[in-house]
């Protein structure tokens, strides 16, 4: 190992140690939090990338308290507990620093005069996406089959005076019962997708949990008369979820933000949405910027794993010129 690499490794260990000590004490944490709230978006991304996992292999006694973030003129408090630093610190940095292009899109929608009336969070995990919309008083329905995620989400909601609508189910094409698998400290990788499940079966530290699967169409009444945004993060199960949402897609025409990992290929999902008169557009969505619709030929060169699907009829000249007007339809 070269001297430069060893020096960088020592510097990283030292900086991690310093941040752990500052976060552990309530008095110094308040100062760290104040500095963090003043960081620009790019610095928050950097903080998440380099520091979010520092409590994974080095536990530390933590003085309980809260961590505060600002999002589009709304303040959100996150819990800090005595024995859960690995999660509390990670979520404190993830809320705004992880997948910044999605958070920028949310900020555009939530600070626009034309906001979505309903946010359906499919694969809510610890509820961080749901919290952003709840902080702006948008109706939210959250779906998360992983029982281990619920206590954090409910705790964060209680801190902020939010009342969550949380369903501990998986969504799919038809009613059934299946098994959810996930790494104990990487619950966001939980999946019922056959390929994802098979890849985890022989790993150590894997949690197995039976779950009910229900079609989204059984919640169709919640979409009636509302301009809705649906977020799907289901580790490869997107097509099954969309297959159970035929009536919602046909009759209520929500905008859909979904993850389409390249290693799984996005062609089946794209074909499904194309057949239902949806167009795909780039993220982030930025106010006073055009909606950047992707042609099929553009998809192989698109570098992100997340896309937004917009009903054809929403792509009016006004929206194509200013994507923030998407929910004015």
């Amino acid at each position: 190992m070269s001297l430069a690499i060893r020096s960088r490794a020592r510097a990283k260990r030292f900086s991690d140690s310093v941040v752990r000590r500052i976060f552990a004490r309530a008095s110094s944490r308040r100062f760290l939090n104040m500095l963090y709230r003043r960081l620009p978006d790019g610095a928050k991304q950097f903080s998440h990338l380099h520091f979010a996992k520092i409590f994974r292999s080095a536990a530390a006694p933590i003085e309980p308290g809260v961590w505060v973030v600002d999002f589009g003129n709304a303040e959100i408090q996150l819990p800090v507990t005595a024995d859960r630093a690995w999660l509390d610190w990670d979520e404190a940095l993830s809320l705004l620093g992880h997948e910044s292009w999605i958070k920028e899109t949310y900020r555009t929608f939530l600070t626009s005069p034309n906001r979505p009336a309903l946010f359906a969070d499919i694969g809510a995990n610890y509820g961080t996406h749901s919290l952003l919309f709840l902080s702006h008083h948008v109706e939210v329905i959250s779906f998360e089959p992983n029982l281990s995620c619920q206590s954090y989400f409910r705790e964060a909601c209680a801190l902020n005076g939010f009342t969550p609508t949380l369903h501990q189910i998986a969504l799919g094409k038809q009613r059934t019962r299946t098994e959810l698998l996930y790494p104990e400290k990487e619950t966001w990788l939980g999946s019922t997708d056959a390929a994802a499940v098979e890849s985890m079966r022989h790993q150590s530290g894997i949690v197995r949990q039976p779950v009910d699967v229900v079609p989204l169409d059984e919640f169709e009444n919640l979409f009636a008369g509302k301009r809705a945004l649906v977020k799907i993060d289901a580790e490869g199960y997107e097509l099954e979820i969309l297959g159970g949402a035929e009536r919602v897609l046909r009759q209520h025409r929500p905008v859909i933000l979904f993850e389409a990992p390249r290693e799984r290929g996005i062609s089946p999902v794209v074909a499904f949405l194309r057949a239902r008169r949806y167009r795909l557009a780039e993220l982030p969505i930025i106010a006073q910027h055009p909606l950047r619709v992707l042609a099929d030929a553009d998809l192989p060169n698109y570098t992100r794993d997340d896309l937004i699907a917009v009903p054809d009829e929403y792509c009016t000249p006004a929206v194509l010129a200013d994507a923030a007007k998407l929910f004015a339809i």
Side-chain angles (χ1 to χ4, degrees), residues 68-219:
V68 182
V69 297
D70 305 289
F71 183 72
N73 299 320
E75 183 179 279
I76 304 171
Q77 297 185 72
L78 299 176
V80 177
T81 59
D83 56 358
R84 201 180 55 193
W86 69 271
L87 174 62
D88 294 338
W89 174 244
D90 195 333
E91 293 303 304
L93 297 188
S94 295
L95 190 69
L96 300 183
H98 180 53
E99 296 180 332
S100 59
W101 49 91
I102 294 179
K103 310 305 169 54
E104 185 175 3
T105 296
Y106 290 165
R107 187 185 290 114
T108 296
F109 291 154
L110 291 171
T111 57
S112 166
N114 310 116
R115 306 188 309 169
L118 173 68
F119 178 62
D121 191 356
I122 300 173
N125 205 259
Y126 290 105
T128 50
H129 293 245
S130 293
L131 287 170
L132 297 176
F133 283 82
L134 287 167
S135 73
H136 284 262
H137 311 291
V138 170
E139 181 183 354
V140 175
I141 178 171
S142 308
F143 300 94
E144 177 49 58
N146 191 334
L147 185 61
S148 67
C149 298
Q150 291 195 15
S151 60
Y152 179 91
F153 182 34
R154 293 189 186 280
E155 191 175 341
C157 284
L159 266 179
N160 293 279
F162 303 152
T163 302
T165 301
L166 176 59
H167 295 273
Q168 191 204 332
I169 57 173
L171 294 180
K173 193 169 184 177
Q174 57 190 9
R175 268 192 172 269
T176 185
R177 191 160 174 82
T178 189
E179 187 177 52
L180 175 77
L181 268 68
Y182 60 92
E184 185 178 12
K185 288 192 176 181
E186 293 180 297
T187 58
W188 50 89
L189 296 177
S191 182
T192 58
D193 174 65
V197 166
E198 185 59 34
S199 70
M200 285 188 277
R201 282 196 184 279
H202 304 296
Q203 296 180 30
S204 60
I206 297 297
V207 179
R208 300 165 183 267
Q209 177 188 317
V211 296
D212 291 319
V213 180
V214 178
L216 184 62
D217 277 342
E218 293 196 12
F219 299 87

Side-chain angles (χ1 to χ4, degrees), residues 104 108 284-292 317-326:
E104 185 175 3
T108 296
I285 301 294
I286 304 173
Q288 300 180 345
H289 284 67
L291 182 71
R292 295 163 300 202
V319 171
L320 292 174
D322 181 358
K325 296 180 179 178
L326 186 57

Side-chain angles (χ1 to χ4, degrees), residues 169-307:
I169 57 173
L171 294 180
K173 193 169 184 177
Q174 57 190 9
R175 268 192 172 269
T176 185
R177 191 160 174 82
T178 189
E179 187 177 52
L180 175 77
L181 268 68
Y182 60 92
E184 185 178 12
K185 288 192 176 181
E186 293 180 297
T187 58
W188 50 89
L189 296 177
S191 182
T192 58
D193 174 65
V197 166
E198 185 59 34
S199 70
M200 285 188 277
R201 282 196 184 279
H202 304 296
Q203 296 180 30
S204 60
I206 297 297
V207 179
R208 300 165 183 267
Q209 177 188 317
V211 296
D212 291 319
V213 180
V214 178
L216 184 62
D217 277 342
E218 293 196 12
F219 299 87
E220 179 192 356
N221 64 304
L222 298 176
F223 290 82
K226 297 171 185 172
R227 297 168 295 179
L229 173 64
V230 174
K231 177 224 104 185
I232 305 175
D233 184 358
E235 300 298 323
Y237 209 60
E238 293 80 13
L239 194 59
E240 287 291 320
I241 291 169
L242 291 169
E246 288 281 12
R247 292 197 307 275
V248 169
L249 298 181
R250 182 175 62 252
Q251 297 180 23
H252 306 293
R253 308 298 281 161
V255 174
I256 304 165
L257 194 156
F258 65 101
E259 185 180 43
R262 296 208 167 273
E263 64 270 24
R264 298 185 186 280
I266 62 173
S267 296
V269 178
V270 170
F272 182 96
L273 292 168
R274 286 269 195 265
R276 286 148 187 83
R277 298 184 295 110
Y278 275 83
R279 302 186 199 181
L280 301 181
E282 294 183 19
L283 296 174
I285 301 294
I286 304 173
Q288 300 180 345
H289 284 67
L291 182 71
R292 295 163 300 202
V293 175
L294 294 164
D296 288 346
D298 298 325
L299 292 172
N301 300 317
Y302 184 64
T303 57
R304 294 198 171 110
D305 284 343
D306 304 285
L307 291 160

Side-chain angles (χ1 to χ4, degrees), residues 5-78:
I5 294 175
R6 288 198 298 271
S7 296
R8 285 197 295 271
R10 283 196 297 270
K12 180 66 168 68
R13 287 194 297 271
F14 176 75
S15 62
D16 290 354
S17 175
V18 169
V19 173
R20 281 195 294 266
R21 288 199 298 270
I22 294 173
F23 182 75
R25 297 186 60 183
S27 56
S28 54
R29 185 191 311 132
R30 284 192 292 270
F31 178 71
L32 180 64
N33 195 180
M34 180 184 68
L35 293 178
Y36 178 83
R37 293 173 73 177
R38 296 179 179 179
L39 293 177
D41 289 346
K44 288 186 173 72
Q45 296 169 41
F46 179 91
S47 299
H48 172 264
L49 178 64
H50 291 279
F51 293 104
K53 312 300 181 188
I54 62 175
F55 284 98
R56 292 301 176 91
S57 57
I62 304 294
E63 293 181 8
V66 297
W67 182 267
V68 182
V69 297
D70 305 289
F71 183 72
N73 299 320
E75 183 179 279
I76 304 171
Q77 297 185 72
L78 299 176

